Amino acid sequence: MQTFFRLFWILLLLLSLVWVAGGALVASGAVDDGGAASSLREDIIIFTDGLNVSPELPPSLLFVITGLPLALLSLFFAWRNHRRLTLRAEAQKQTRSEGSPSERRGTVFITALSLIFALLLWNARGIDALLAQGAPASDSFSLTAVTYPVRLFVTFVHEAGHALAALLTGGQVQSFTVSPDGSGYAITAGGNISLILPAGYLGAALFGALLFLLSSRAPSMTRALSLLLGIGFIALTLLFARPDASGNITALVVGVGYGLALAILGWAAPQAIIVFLLNTLAVLTGLNAVFDLVHLVSNADIGNAGVLNDAAAFSQNVAPLLPPSVVALLWAAIAVGMMGVAMYFGLLKPAQSELT
């Protein structure tokens, strides 16, 4: 019976996600073939007008509002049935508390291992150069191929930071994009610009710092954390991510791809694997955010395709007495501080307590 209900909730979850994803994409105009999709979008707009929905509320948001709660409910019950099915196997193992010294030592070890792995990936270019010495180009494995998706992930988090800051300060988000070269662009209206502009770089650094801290200090929460992050990334993608000026759907691929990966990771992977991968992703995100800010210090006046970068825009619109390079330097210092605090409380302090 429990197996039947688990399948039922999984099916309901899939139908809810199809409702949210398909409805949001059609209603937002991202799928516009001039035929059935366009006709369906017109019907959706007419239907929402008949409901007297506020014109400020995009039709795509209605699908998220109606489908996401059902998806979350289905996910909860499917997870609960999954847990019940594994209780017997877990009961056969030796009972141990989550706060036991052995588990704490294991978490510290996994955290340290993820940090080392992230640093190896961070130095991918140098490692690739060493591996390529004396080997044919076709036979050499490139670590930069592994870090490239992380580069796109950081850009997605950067642009999502702008979007969330706009929403939290009373503004609106029209869209944000991610391009294959790792650049991105967010279009917002209203809100507090003094918070929206720093929210890209500092938002990515804060995301990496908090993810590392939570994964290291609360490993029992990582399963739920991974699931929530996955659902959040998919929701942000369907609501606001759009193709870039060249028509590349990189933002959609990155958002939905990472969202599904995080959700599956939280659903099925062992806790140790979740802690390791979340910590690795957190360190790489934080390091990339800090590196971007350090690069911005020496290139603070350079924009992309005629558009001012965040530091230059902040200097021009918020703090005209501060040169863009000074703004970038202040942001870099804040980002380094956040990552330093996360490293200390997430790894160094727990390691010290275990060694003493």
Side-chain angles (χ1 to χ4, degrees):
M1 184 60 69
Q2 289 181 358
T3 302
F4 168 78
F5 278 112
R6 185 177 66 168
L7 293 175
F8 169 78
W9 289 115
I10 291 176
L11 178 61
L12 189 59
L13 171 63
L14 293 175
L15 291 176
S16 303
L17 292 177
V18 170
W19 168 266
V20 173
L25 287 174
V26 172
S28 65
V31 179
D32 190 359
D33 58 359
S38 299
S39 177
L40 182 58
R41 183 170 183 269
E42 293 176 358
D43 293 338
I44 293 172
I45 295 175
I46 295 174
F47 178 72
T48 55
D49 291 339
L51 295 176
N52 294 323
V53 178
S54 172
E56 297 181 354
L57 185 68
S60 58
L61 188 59
L62 291 178
F63 287 90
V64 177
I65 294 175
T66 56
L68 193 57
L70 182 59
L72 291 173
L73 185 67
S74 304
L75 181 63
F76 168 74
F77 281 109
W79 174 80
R80 191 178 70 170
N81 279 274
H82 175 75
R83 287 292 297 167
R84 287 179 176 177
L85 289 173
T86 58
L87 281 178
R88 295 178 182 177
E90 293 180 354
Q92 296 176 355
K93 298 179 181 179
Q94 183 178 2
T95 304
R96 60 177 183 176
S97 64
E98 293 190 352
S100 63
S102 60
E103 182 167 345
R104 289 198 302 269
R105 286 192 294 270
T107 301
V108 171
F109 174 77
I110 293 172
T111 302
L113 192 63
S114 64
L115 177 59
I116 296 172
F117 181 67
L119 291 176
L120 287 175
L121 292 179
W122 176 252
N123 293 279
R125 293 183 183 275
I127 296 175
D128 282 346
L130 291 176
L131 294 177
Q133 291 181 358
S138 58
D139 295 337
S140 60
F141 174 75
S142 176
L143 283 176
T144 55
V146 180
T147 58
Y148 175 70
V150 178
R151 170 71 265 173
L152 298 179
F153 176 82
V154 175
T155 302
F156 185 96
V157 174
H158 178 113
E159 304 307 334
H162 288 308
L164 291 176
L167 293 175
L168 293 175
T169 57
Q172 296 180 349
V173 181
Q174 298 179 15
S175 66
F176 66 80
T177 65
V178 176
S179 298
D181 62 357
S183 62
Y185 187 62
I187 303 176
T188 63
N192 191 332
I193 193 172
S194 62
L195 296 178
I196 295 174
L197 288 174
Y201 290 109
L202 295 184
L206 180 62
F207 174 85
L210 287 178
L211 184 59
F212 184 83
L213 187 61
L214 291 174
S215 300
S216 304
R217 298 306 298 268
S220 61
M221 296 175 55
T222 51
R223 189 175 299 278
L225 179 62
S226 186
L227 285 169
L228 290 176
L229 284 176
I231 294 172
F233 269 83
I234 293 174
L236 281 173
T237 303
L238 297 179
L239 285 174
F240 306 120
R242 297 293 180 266
D244 64 6
S246 301
N248 295 305
I249 59 171
T250 309
L252 298 171
V253 173
V254 172
V256 174
Y258 270 99
L260 290 175
L262 287 168
I264 295 173
L265 180 69
W267 175 271
Q271 180 176 295
I273 299 298
I274 300 174
V275 172
F276 175 81
L277 292 178
L278 288 185
N279 275 330
T280 302
L281 185 62
V283 173
L284 289 173
T285 302
L287 286 177
N288 272 285
V290 172
F291 177 79
D292 287 345
L293 281 167
V294 172
H295 176 74
L296 192 63
V297 171
S298 57
N299 301 277
D301 295 311
I302 299 177
N304 184 20
V307 180
L308 291 176
N309 61 44
D310 295 342
F314 188 89
S315 175
Q316 177 177 303
N317 298 290
V318 179
L321 297 179
L322 295 177
S325 57
V326 175
V327 173
L329 183 62
L330 290 174
W331 289 356
I334 295 173
V336 170
M338 288 190 294
M339 286 303 300
V341 170
M343 293 290 179
Y344 175 75
F345 287 101
L347 178 60
L348 296 180
K349 189 175 181 180
Q352 289 175 352
S353 63
E354 291 300 323
L355 293 175
T356 57

